[in-house]
Amino acid sequence: MKCQKCGKNNADTHIKRVVNGQFEEHHLCSECAAEMGYTNVFDSFSHSFADDFNSLFGSFFENALPARTQATRCETCGASYNDITRTGMMGCADCYKVFADQIMPTIRRIHGNTTHCGKNSPASKAQPAEKAPAQNTKSELDVLKEKLDSAIKNQEFEQAAELRDKIREMEGE
Amino acid sequence: MSNVVMQTRIRLARNLRKYPFPCRLSQAGKNEVVETIVSAIKNSNSPLANDFDVLYVKDLTEAQRISLVEAHLASPEFISDSAGRAIVLSKDREMSIMINEEDHIRLQILKKGFDLDGAYDVADKLDTLLDENLDFAYDEKLGYLTQCPTNLGTGMRASVMLHLPALQRSKAVSRIAGNLQKLGLTIRGTYGEGSEPQGAMYQLSNQVTLGISEQAAIDNLKNITAQLINQEENAQKRMADSIETQDRIARSLGILKSARLISRDEAMDLLSNVRFGINTGLIEDVEIQVIDKLISDIQPATMIVNKKENLTPSQRDQLRAEHIREVLR
Ligand SMILES: [Zn+2]
Ligand SMILES: [Zn+2]
């Protein structure tokens, strides 16, 4: 689909929004989207994350994907890897297992790591692994977190960003 | 207590293990998901169980749908399609659950003011109670599984709505926004986009959901919000000393009290000025809650729904002016 504003570039940004009592939908190229103020900093309330993910995904795997995996389908929902990159959406919970190898690098790029930390689904009987990081790792992490807190308090945002990267790296391992 | 934070929101994304995500779910499957979730709520031991409304998007008028977005209860994405979508709302609208938006469940807690811990506490309890009756898609390593991998892990978006008239006016918001992104947060205009959103209202929320616990994400957001409050309060104090600011604020209140026709855009700007005036003590005889209520009341679709009849834009402007005069008298 071509961009609805310039009619030239491909539309890769799908915007759904409510403006002054009206529902609007726009398919725009990223340049026109940015011109209208939909940059990643001030993108609209409604700008779908899936679109960001989609372009992220596309560029990352453009040439790297072996032909074989494109034919694989998730048995549960029928999604192919191609479906996932095209829509930016996983088809079902099992897709995360079926396409794990392909999708992990993208997950790492989005979140900076690939390991959940936080609430467990109580029904999934999960509890044991909740708090078991090695003692020395933990204290080092705590020190970094304290530094991060004080950097934020002192509005040293640059330094805070660096600390945050380090913390993520450690937590992700 | 600062008035910079207007409201706090926690959203949790959850999916049922048994069904494909909404993007690959049939119409019949979506209806089944709606029924499964609604009955799980009824049978749950939660405060929501005896006290909720279910609205099916297909049964709503256009104005009713849009008014849900205006009230921050639903997303534009949610109302863009009516098939197999429903929203569950507590009577006071503090708790809501969008069913079959991007995920099977988008549970939301909305609280007035700055109350991230309170909002998360309610969300966490409701989520745990629902989990007893629903089998959520959850993975030991990746956490809660979501249709879009950007929500993986905790599935939590915590956000605060900030009123930043002084930082906006001094062009500081865009500078701050770049730094916020490095800290895993995003800031966007609540109404309208671009660098100067309407009414100087912004939504600040966490971006990363995997590898950071709910509590850590909330603490991070809380810290940064406290910083922004501080900066905004200081900037407001400095500006409030100038006669130009005092004039602008006094005139804004004057227009609101006397206009016979007023568009939403104009009203938003003026209400924002008055809110600034109340916060800095330049206006003493109006309560800030009254202004916040007006800001939600004057949204176009909300007006149509409250009036229970269709209104032309000019009828709306007239009714809006009347309503504001009435409230501020
Ligand atoms: Zn374009
Ligand atoms: Zn699948």
Side-chain angles (χ1 to χ4, degrees):
Chain A
M1 183 186 286
K2 294 284 176 211
C3 169
Q4 291 174 339
K5 197 152 174 249
C6 65
K8 277 184 276 176
N9 303 331
N10 273 333
D12 57 9
T13 309
H14 187 187
I15 293 160
K16 294 173 186 175
R17 60 179 190 176
V18 163
V19 177
N20 211 358
Q22 303 291 322
F23 176 79
E24 295 177 356
E25 244 175 302
H26 303 280
H27 294 270
L28 303 174
C29 71
S30 44
E31 282 163 41
C32 290
E35 231 169 73
M36 280 176 70
Y38 289 93
T39 63
N40 43 15
V41 176
F42 284 114
D43 61 1
S44 85
F45 183 53
S46 54
H47 179 235
S48 146
F49 282 104
D51 293 319
D52 295 341
F53 173 66
N54 196 7
S55 46
L56 196 68
F57 225 174
S59 60
F60 199 83
F61 284 111
E62 237 152 53
N63 302 312
L65 193 65
R68 182 182 52 81
T69 51
Q70 284 178 327
T72 311
R73 284 188 176 273
C74 168
E75 278 181 23
T76 313
C77 72
S80 67
Y81 186 64
N82 194 31
D83 291 330
I84 293 172
T85 52
R86 189 174 41 79
T87 58
M89 292 171 188
M90 306 299 278
C92 73
D94 292 337
C95 286
Y96 280 103
K97 287 211 172 66
V98 177
F99 303 109
D101 292 348
Q102 293 101 311
I103 194 171
M104 278 310 167
T106 308
I107 291 176
R108 182 177 290 279
R109 259 175 64 152
I110 297 169
H111 294 283
N113 75 88
T114 56
T115 308
H116 174 55
C117 158
K119 187 173 182 177
N120 293 313
S121 178
S124 77
K125 64 39 228 34
Q127 215 76 66
E130 199 193 352
K131 287 221 166 86
Q135 212 50 43
N136 54 349
T137 323
K138 199 176 176 188
S139 62
E140 201 182 325
L141 201 59
D142 283 344
V143 172
L144 281 177
K145 282 180 175 168
E146 276 166 27
K147 280 190 186 163
L148 175 63
D149 277 349
S150 82
I152 290 170
K153 284 202 183 87
N154 299 322
Q155 301 183 32
E156 293 157 351
F157 289 129
E158 290 285 344
Q159 199 201 341
E162 272 171 37
L163 286 165
R164 164 148 298 253
D165 284 345
K166 270 190 207 158
I167 290 171
R168 277 213 204 121
E169 224 168 83
M170 290 181 70
E171 284 179 334
E173 266 150 25
Chain B
M1 181 67 197
S2 167
N3 294 308
V4 171
V5 181
M6 302 176 71
Q7 57 173 232
T8 303
R9 255 197 303 184
I10 298 281
R11 245 185 214 178
L12 299 178
R14 298 290 185 257
N15 288 280
L16 309 189
R17 192 182 295 278
K18 245 182 79 185
Y19 297 87
F21 297 143
C23 72
R24 292 195 81 83
L25 189 56
S26 66
Q27 176 64 49
K30 284 184 186 169
N31 293 340
E32 241 178 79
V33 165
V34 171
E35 294 322 313
T36 306
I37 292 169
V38 170
S39 81
I41 295 167
K42 272 187 197 140
N43 298 324
S44 73
N45 194 11
S46 83
L48 196 55
N50 307 311
D51 183 36
F52 67 91
D53 301 316
V54 187
L55 309 179
Y56 293 86
V57 179
K58 64 176 168 49
D59 298 338
L60 302 176
T61 64
E62 182 78 359
Q64 285 172 323
R65 292 175 193 188
I66 291 172
S67 73
L68 290 173
V69 178
E70 290 175 349
H72 311 292
L73 296 169
S75 60
E77 165 59 38
F78 183 67
I79 62 162
S80 69
D81 186 10
S82 61
R85 290 187 172 181
I87 183 167
V88 174
L89 297 160
S90 65
K91 296 281 184 223
D92 63 4
R93 302 313 191 228
E94 181 181 294
M95 297 181 237
S96 61
I97 298 176
M98 283 186 279
I99 305 177
N100 290 329
E101 197 237 30
E102 243 187 53
D103 294 292
H104 295 144
I105 291 181
R106 284 287 175 92
L107 180 162
Q108 173 179 281
I109 305 302
L110 184 71
K111 278 189 179 287
K112 287 200 178 81
F114 187 21
D115 188 10
L116 281 163
D117 290 324
Y120 179 70
D121 191 50
V122 177
D124 181 36
K125 289 201 172 96
L126 181 55
D127 171 54
T128 301
L129 290 167
L130 289 179
D131 198 349
E132 287 172 5
N133 294 324
L134 297 167
D135 186 14
F136 287 152
Y138 178 85
D139 178 85
E140 293 283 302
K141 183 161 160 37
L142 294 175
Y144 290 95
L145 301 177
T146 51
Q147 176 170 285
C148 181
T150 50
N151 300 311
L152 270 180
T154 60
M156 181 188 80
R157 300 270 167 214
S159 65
V160 287
M161 186 161 116
L162 301 162
H163 184 222
L164 305 175
L167 290 178
Q168 177 171 319
R169 211 158 246 279
S170 58
K171 313 279 181 211
V173 180
S174 33
R175 179 173 49 76
I176 293 167
N179 288 321
L180 291 176
Q181 211 165 24
K182 294 182 190 134
L183 295 169
L185 302 178
T186 50
I187 189 164
R188 304 178 263 232
T190 306
Y191 301 99
E193 47 283 326
S195 57
E196 298 203 341
Q198 243 171 17
M201 286 162 215
Y202 296 84
Q203 211 71 38
L204 178 68
S205 51
N206 68 309
Q207 204 168 22
V208 174
T209 53
L210 185 62
I212 177 168
S213 69
E214 291 85 353
Q215 194 56 54
I218 284 171
D219 288 346
N220 185 34
L221 180 59
K222 229 193 305 186
N223 274 334
I224 307 280
T225 303
Q227 288 299 321
L228 281 174
I229 291 174
N230 208 359
Q231 292 189 22
E232 172 65 24
E233 294 278 1
N234 288 336
Q236 285 193 10
K237 275 192 203 104
R238 280 196 303 274
M239 274 187 192
D241 286 339
S242 83
I243 187 72
E244 286 81 11
T245 303
Q246 293 166 11
D247 178 66
R248 186 162 47 83
I249 286 171
R251 279 169 184 272
S252 297
L253 184 58
I255 294 171
L256 289 169
K257 281 182 165 174
S258 53
R260 294 301 193 262
L261 282 175
I262 193 163
S263 71
R264 189 195 77 132
D265 289 5
E266 184 182 9
M268 289 291 284
D269 283 345
L270 299 176
L271 287 167
S272 170
N273 289 341
V274 169
R275 205 175 185 281
F276 179 177
I278 298 169
N279 201 39
T280 47
L282 294 174
I283 294 173
E284 286 177 329
D285 54 352
V286 185
E287 298 277 325
I288 211 147
Q289 292 80 3
V290 170
I291 299 302
D292 289 354
K293 175 95 173 31
L294 275 175
I295 289 169
S296 37
D297 285 350
I298 61 157
Q299 303 304 321
T302 303
M303 288 182 62
I304 292 173
V305 170
N306 288 342
K307 184 76 181 167
K308 297 190 174 67
E309 61 183 90
N310 255 321
L311 302 164
T312 65
S314 105
Q315 285 173 323
R316 249 180 350 216
D317 290 354
Q318 190 180 344
L319 191 70
R320 183 179 292 116
E322 260 167 41
H323 179 63
I324 295 172
R325 283 206 316 277
E326 187 78 10
V327 171
L328 292 179
R329 197 166 49 192

